[in-house]
Amino acid sequence: MRAQTASPALFANLVDDVVASGSDTVAVSVPATGEPHHDLPRSSAGDVRDAVARARLAQFAWARAGFAHRRRVLLRAHDLIMQRTDLLLDLVQTESGKTRGQALEEVFQAASVTRYNALTARRVLRGRSVRGGIPLLLTTRVRYAPKGVVGVITPWNYALSLAAMDVVPALAAGCAVVQKADDLGALSILALRRAFIEAGVPEAVWAVVTGEAAEAGEALTDEVDYICFTGSTATGRRIGEKAGRRLIGASLELGGKNPMIVLDDVDPERAAADAAYACFSAMGQLCVSIERIYVHRRIAGPFQRALVARLRDAKVGTGLDFDADFGSLASATQLERVRSHLDDAVAKGAEVLVGGVPRPDAGPWCFAPTVLTGVTADMRVHAEETFGAVASLYVVDSDEEAVLAANASDYGLNASILTGSPVRARRIANALEAGSINIGEGYRGSFSSVDAPMGGVKASGVGRRNGREGLLRFVEPVTVSKSTGVLPLPTTGAEFKLLGGPFLLLARVLKAIRRA
């Protein structure tokens, strides 16, 4: 096994960057050992308010620095991310328990998001001229003003990439950020932030706080000008309600119970490989991972056998290398959640096709990737998000039955279609109720497409990250209209009487020539 690039001295150095005025800390355990690994400072509500106040002052200069300056800074940060790949991979693996390959997805995503926003922000946000209300008499331009201080609340499961997808576009738009990091992902976030600070982002422009949601999270939502949250639907509803009362915007990416449809024209072995990864990357602890598989009856037998064989033979481990196919659950809490869903399903008649047991030989929180069949509506695993190492397999008799079953959920975050027919894929994709749809694989196509919006429908959230939409959420459009002086606008009854006819004629002419 290769030597770890991170060290206890680095951990202590990174946690010093947390905005925390007191001496309170929490011991954070890691999946490889289950034992305490480092102490993380706790931020109070007062610390959060102070961080927002400092960010508000620093944001004015950051916004005035302009797009060209921010572009240079973000591109330098991109290069530092690439230079520190091994360190970031070690930190992501240490905190989350995922494999090195799955950690590599995070580092790649963070770099991609940084590069995209650095190169795209000016084109999207520089403003534009639009048609004035009265041609020749009025000119109108729309400019975009940064919203100010953005609050970002990110979870532990994809700490690096989810932080980048919210923080970097906010910085590119000229906003400042105060981010509440989850305890289990704080080191990765702090290391990412360190690259941006060294690249030229002022320290107060991106501050990191920690602590309990009831204190630090509530204080953050009370103070900022816009809030981004990734996490459970229940918590997202509360944050959205608070944001609504304050009349500030919110971007909420919430839960999912994501379906995969496997049609009868696929290669079973290839489909099983795609399904296994889509379900158990990061051991299912990903908002867009697959938890429900709907397979056509004509291919159900060979697909099921291939899936069982692949998962039975997969290597589970926690080493800081590329040896393992699947990693660990992130905490004892996650392990208990998986056990709870599994025990409930088995007690009510579900059958375990593969897995279903802990893997203490691989790590204290490791669990064998588990596929169930015979799942019914009275089981928790049927409709409730497990967010862990359990997926359910259902057999369907038609494309239409698969679509109806896939859409029969309160959630609508991601969906997947495996088929050899572009026509069938397109028809089913148009019928699915989800914010992202992947054809030919599980989630990585849409997740990695940083030029395209990402988000959910129904109980999976509101708002979008990535793409133009991901930038535009951090600005307020301001309309600036100017009278040209060619002809004064009417201000008296007599002037309206004189000009009313020409104005109405103008409206008819504009419609006739299809001018909006």
Side-chain angles (χ1 to χ4, degrees):
M1 184 182 297
R2 55 172 293 280
Q4 184 177 358
T5 59
S7 66
L10 174 68
F11 305 146
N13 185 265
L14 286 174
V15 300
D16 283 345
D17 289 349
V18 174
V19 179
S21 59
S23 58
D24 289 347
T25 62
V26 62
V28 179
S29 300
V30 296
T33 65
E35 299 298 325
H37 180 265
H38 58 275
D39 292 329
L40 188 67
R42 311 301 275 168
S43 305
S44 66
D47 293 327
V48 174
R49 287 190 290 269
D50 289 344
V52 172
R54 288 192 293 270
R56 201 173 297 286
L57 290 175
Q59 185 267 330
F60 293 114
W62 178 245
R64 285 197 301 270
F67 288 112
H69 173 75
R70 294 196 292 272
R71 172 182 168 136
R72 287 192 297 271
V73 169
L74 295 184
L75 289 177
R76 284 198 294 268
H78 170 276
D79 293 344
L80 289 174
I81 291 171
M82 301 305 294
Q83 292 171 20
R84 299 172 185 183
T85 294
D86 281 340
L87 170 63
L88 293 171
L89 290 175
D90 282 353
L91 290 173
V92 169
Q93 284 195 272
T94 297
E95 291 191 292
S96 70
K98 63 185 61 171
T99 68
R100 202 159 189 84
Q102 290 147 23
L104 183 61
E105 290 183 356
E106 285 215 62
V107 176
F108 180 84
Q109 184 81 349
S112 297
V113 167
T114 302
R115 185 176 64 254
Y116 172 81
N117 285 285
L119 299 175
T120 305
R122 181 171 185 169
R123 174 171 54 83
V124 173
L125 303 178
R126 64 184 172 185
R128 68 192 191 280
S129 295
V130 299
R131 188 180 68 79
I134 305 174
L136 301 179
L137 303 189
L138 297 171
T139 62
T140 303
R141 184 171 179 80
V142 177
R143 66 175 177 86
Y144 295 101
K147 286 193 172 177
V149 180
V150 173
V152 174
I153 303 176
T154 46
W156 47 265
N157 60 319
Y158 269 67
L160 200 70
S161 52
L162 292 175
M165 284 192 278
D166 282 339
V167 173
V168 178
L171 296 176
C175 294
V177 174
V178 177
Q179 179 180 9
K180 181 191 173 298
D182 188 276
D183 295 349
L184 299 183
L187 292 179
S188 300
I189 288 169
L190 291 165
L192 180 68
R193 174 187 177 272
R194 184 70 64 84
F196 280 77
I197 301 307
E198 292 181 18
V201 173
E203 291 198 23
V205 167
W206 181 2
V208 173
V209 298
T210 61
E212 296 294 334
E215 183 170 3
E218 290 288 331
L220 188 63
T221 311
D222 283 338
E223 296 292 328
V224 295
D225 306 307
Y226 187 90
I227 188 75
C228 302
F229 172 77
T230 304
S232 72
T233 295
T235 302
R237 290 186 194 278
R238 292 196 294 272
I239 289 174
E241 289 169 1
K242 175 171 278 195
R245 289 194 298 272
R246 292 192 57 226
L247 299 179
I248 64 168
S251 173
L252 310 171
E253 186 185 296
L254 309 178
K257 191 73 176 175
N258 306 302
M260 170 180 278
I261 296 174
V262 183
L263 300 185
D264 56 356
D265 57 0
V266 299
D267 172 63
E269 296 286 342
R270 181 66 258 170
D274 289 332
Y277 193 87
C279 292
F280 301 111
S281 174
M283 288 309 288
Q285 299 167 121
L286 172 61
C287 53
V288 292
S289 63
I290 298 300
E291 294 197 14
R292 299 180 287 149
I293 305 172
Y294 298 98
V295 59
H296 200 286
R297 188 174 300 278
R298 284 198 290 269
I299 201 175
F303 171 80
Q304 178 177 309
R305 288 191 292 273
L307 181 61
V308 167
R310 188 170 192 89
L311 292 174
R312 185 184 56 231
D313 297 338
K315 182 176 180 180
V316 176
T318 59
L320 300 182
D321 49 41
F322 288 97
D323 287 348
D325 301 310
F326 301 110
S328 173
L329 295 167
S331 66
T333 300
Q334 286 298 106
L335 179 61
E336 178 56 33
R337 181 177 179 86
V338 166
R339 282 174 161 164
S340 174
H341 275 215
L342 179 60
D343 290 348
D344 173 76
V346 171
K348 294 174 180 175
E351 177 188 350
V352 177
L353 293 177
V354 64
V357 294
R359 288 289 308 276
D361 57 304
W365 300 329
C366 287
F367 201 88
T370 301
V371 178
L372 301 175
T373 190
V375 171
T376 55
D378 62 332
M379 301 174 188
R380 292 177 62 194
V381 75
H382 180 267
E384 185 178 329
E385 184 179 30
T386 303
F387 210 69
V390 178
S392 303
L393 181 66
Y394 305 86
V395 177
V396 295
D397 291 304
S398 67
D399 296 5
E400 292 73 20
E401 182 184 354
V403 169
L404 289 172
N407 287 342
S409 172
D410 291 336
Y411 297 107
L413 188 58
N414 179 46
S416 171
I417 308 162
L418 302 186
T419 176
S421 168
V423 174
R424 292 174 81 184
R426 186 163 53 250
R427 183 176 68 246
I428 291 174
N430 289 339
L432 289 173
E433 298 169 354
S436 297
I437 298 168
N438 290 271
I439 298 171
E441 62 92 42
Y443 68 85
R444 287 181 287 184
S446 59
F447 192 77
S448 64
S449 297
V450 297
D451 194 25
M454 175 186 173
V457 299
K458 299 192 282 190
S460 290
V462 295
R464 294 293 184 268
R465 54 162 56 107
N466 291 346
R468 290 175 52 88
E469 293 82 354
L471 278 162
L472 287 168
R473 60 188 164 148
F474 297 120
V475 294
E476 293 287 0
V478 179
T479 299
V480 181
S481 189
K482 177 185 176 183
S483 173
T484 65
V486 171
L487 181 68
L489 296 176
T491 58
T492 67
E495 290 170 345
F496 273 104
K497 182 178 181 180
L498 178 65
L499 295 175
F503 281 174
L504 294 176
L505 175 61
L506 175 63
R508 296 187 183 97
V509 169
L510 292 173
K511 189 262 185 181
I513 65 175
R514 298 295 190 264
R515 179 79 179 274

